[in-house]
Structure formats: structure tokens, C-alpha cells
Amino acid sequence: MQVVHTVADLRAALAGQNQTAFVPTMGNLHAGHVSLVELAKRHGRPVVASIFVNPLQFGAGEDFERYPRTLAADCEKLEAAGCDLVFAPDVAEMYPVPQTYTVQVPEAMANDLCGAFRPGHFSGVATVVLKLFNLVQPRAAVFGSKDFQQLQVIRELVRQFNLPIDIVAGATLREADGLALSSRNGYLSETERRQAPQLQRELAAIAAAVQAGEREFEALCVSAGRHLNMAGWRVDYIALRDATTLQAPTPDSRRLVVLGAAWLGTTRLIDNLDFGLGNPA
Ligand code: PAF
């Protein structure tokens, strides 16, 4: 596996390749990322992963500075997973001049769900992903489903800019107690770690209630938020949406997704469960 840090070296390493499968990451890799690399291998070769903590997608006071940088350990995991090439630029390499041209994500998407609590976040994500796509020029790119809204933003980016890239979604991997794998789980204290699966349990309870016929969606979400807040979380949102449009469910919706974001101490966790109506998840 080759590791490159510059655009010039990346382009040289990829010259003539047009079947590349790409896994963009911010590093501090866990088994969830490894599963994305394994999925990528089924969609193209060589498999390229990027490791870049993108300042554009972090707001003031967020965890950009403390986000774990673990390049050596990440490269070991990528190599073991069968990745062929790693692109690990620094900030000056990705943004040699201030990035004044950015992707403007439509307000309805940019300011919804996570976007309502992280202004500018999805513009920062879409901008870096577009740059990475232009650099790597993959035929397929793999993203985790835990960032469900991000996946939606990227699918729409690819569609509206006619990028010839298949977007592939990898399933969320979970710990034995249900907690979704996330680099941010490492921020949790022991007590918080024990409490963290509650977010997933509340989402699962909503999904089960809806599948059992409950249609008071708002009440279900409010009540789940109340349980979490009473247990010491600070809830940003709990929401039920159509899984295809990410809009409010309609009578025609066949797949729904219940999404949540909440803080445990200084750690913000997100999770979601998508499920069909009529057949158990
Ligand atoms: O999901 C992530 O790790 C990041 O948002 C991404 C897609 C690598 C862009 O920085």
C-alpha cells in the first residue's frame, strides 16, 4: 500500500486508472471504516482511502483541534483491509489558498437536522468531497450510513453536478450493546460509554412503535427526547423522516428513517435506523 501526502503524488499514483473505488475518511479508523474499504473492493480497483480532518466542516467551538489524528495506526488498518493507496494531505495541501469557492447546499437541506445545529457543516462536507472527487476521479465512492444526512447531501451533489460516480452506502457497524461505531466514541468517559447505547435504544423503540402501527410521529420523537434529556443527555433532535427524501413522511412513504443527535457531556453522538413499513426492520 502506497501512502501519499501531495496532490502531485496522488495524481502520479493514479495515472491511467479509471476504475478506482474511493473511501473518504477523517482518520481515527475503526471497524466501520474497515468494512467500507471491504465494500469498496467490490466496486473498483485500486481502492483509495483519504485521511483528512477537514477544517471547513467544523464550526467555531467544535472538535476540530481535538479530533484524533492517528495516521500510523490508520495506515496499518487500511493495509490489512486491502486498501491500495492512501491520500493523507495536510490542510495547506488541500487548501493552498483560502477556499472562497464553496458548494452551496440548498437551505432546506443545509439547515435541517444536523445542519440546524452545525451551521455551514454540510457546505464544508460537500466542498471537500467535491475536491476529493476531482482529485481521485473514482468510479465509485463509499460512505457510512451512520451519517445518513451526509449521504443524502453527497448523492444530491453527484446528481446535480453530473459526477460520473456511483455512491455506495455501507451499513452502520455497532458494538455488542448497540452503540454505533464512531471515532467520537473515544471522547466518552466510562460512565458516558455505558449510557451511550440509550440513543440507539430510543430510536429502535420509535421504529418498533411505528412498525406496530403508531402514527403520532411527533409525539414519539418528543417522548424519546424527553427520556434522553431526563437521563442527562442534551438532545439536539430526534426526527422521523421518509428514508428516500429525508422529508416528513407522507402516506406514500414505504421506508422511514428515525434519526437522532444528542450530547453526552462534551460529546455529540448521532445515530439513525431505517426501516420498512409493514415488515420488521
Ligand atoms: O464522514 C466523514 O468522515 C467526513 O465527513 C468526510 C466525508 C470524509 C468529509 O470530510
Side-chain angles (χ1 to χ4, degrees):
M1 187 182 76
Q2 198 182 346
V3 182
V4 297
H5 300 281
T6 66
V7 168
D9 287 348
L10 176 71
R11 290 213 155 116
L14 284 174
Q17 306 284 358
N18 61 4
Q19 295 297 310
T20 303
F22 180 39
V23 185
T25 81
M26 297 204 302
N28 196 234
L29 305 183
H30 49 65
H33 296 105
V34 170
S35 75
L36 300 183
V37 172
E38 275 152 13
L39 184 55
K41 282 195 276 188
R42 306 214 294 266
H43 290 269
R45 271 299 167 106
V47 172
V48 180
S50 63
I51 297 178
F52 178 62
V53 185
N54 171 36
L56 243 54
Q57 70 188 73
F58 289 80
E62 290 191 350
D63 56 344
F64 174 70
E65 277 83 19
R66 75 162 170 155
Y67 201 90
R69 273 92 166 158
T70 52
L71 183 62
D74 292 345
C75 287
E76 277 177 30
K77 288 177 190 157
L78 289 170
E79 181 150 35
C83 180
D84 300 293
L85 175 64
V86 178
F87 177 49
D90 63 14
V91 172
E93 186 67 17
M94 274 308 275
Y95 301 117
V97 295
Q99 188 70 32
T100 50
Y101 280 44
T102 55
V103 176
Q104 190 182 343
V105 176
E107 264 179 41
M109 204 182 251
N111 299 339
D112 191 24
L113 300 171
C114 279
F117 298 89
R118 304 189 68 189
H121 170 68
F122 288 115
S123 171
V125 168
T127 301
V128 80
V129 167
L130 181 60
K131 280 177 77 105
L132 289 166
F133 282 175
N134 287 333
L135 294 170
V136 176
Q137 303 194 1
R139 69 161 305 283
V142 183
F143 294 85
S145 298
K146 186 171 75 68
D147 297 289
F148 198 90
Q149 190 181 7
Q150 167 174 283
L151 197 50
Q152 190 86 3
V153 167
I154 291 164
R155 284 192 197 286
E156 202 55 23
L157 172 84
V158 163
R159 194 164 78 94
Q160 293 201 14
F161 286 107
N162 301 89
L163 305 179
I165 302 170
D166 289 340
I167 301 302
V168 180
T172 301
L173 260 55
R174 297 182 179 280
E175 302 283 5
D177 61 7
L179 177 65
L181 297 194
S182 164
S183 302
R184 290 188 168 99
N185 292 349
Y187 297 152
L188 298 170
S189 70
E190 256 178 58
T191 315
E192 290 166 347
R193 171 63 192 83
R194 277 196 297 277
Q195 211 183 334
Q198 191 189 354
L199 176 59
Q200 185 271 341
R201 284 199 299 271
E202 293 294 342
L203 300 184
I206 293 175
V210 173
Q211 288 189 305
E214 178 61 57
R215 289 296 175 267
E216 297 294 335
F217 295 158
E218 184 59 27
L220 284 172
C221 294
V222 167
S223 143
R226 197 176 302 129
H227 297 157
L228 289 162
N229 283 332
M230 273 166 20
W233 295 71
R234 188 159 53 80
V235 173
D236 277 354
Y237 66 85
I238 304 284
L240 244 175
R241 297 292 175 86
D242 182 297
T244 310
T245 62
L246 215 47
Q247 304 293 310
T250 70
D252 293 335
S253 296
R254 286 292 156 265
R255 269 202 97 64
L256 301 187
V257 57
V258 55
L259 312 102
W263 293 81
L264 262 184
T266 56
T267 306
R268 185 176 188 273
L269 297 179
I270 63 171
D271 204 346
N272 69 80
L273 287 176
D274 71 305
F275 57 98
L277 282 178
N279 48 327

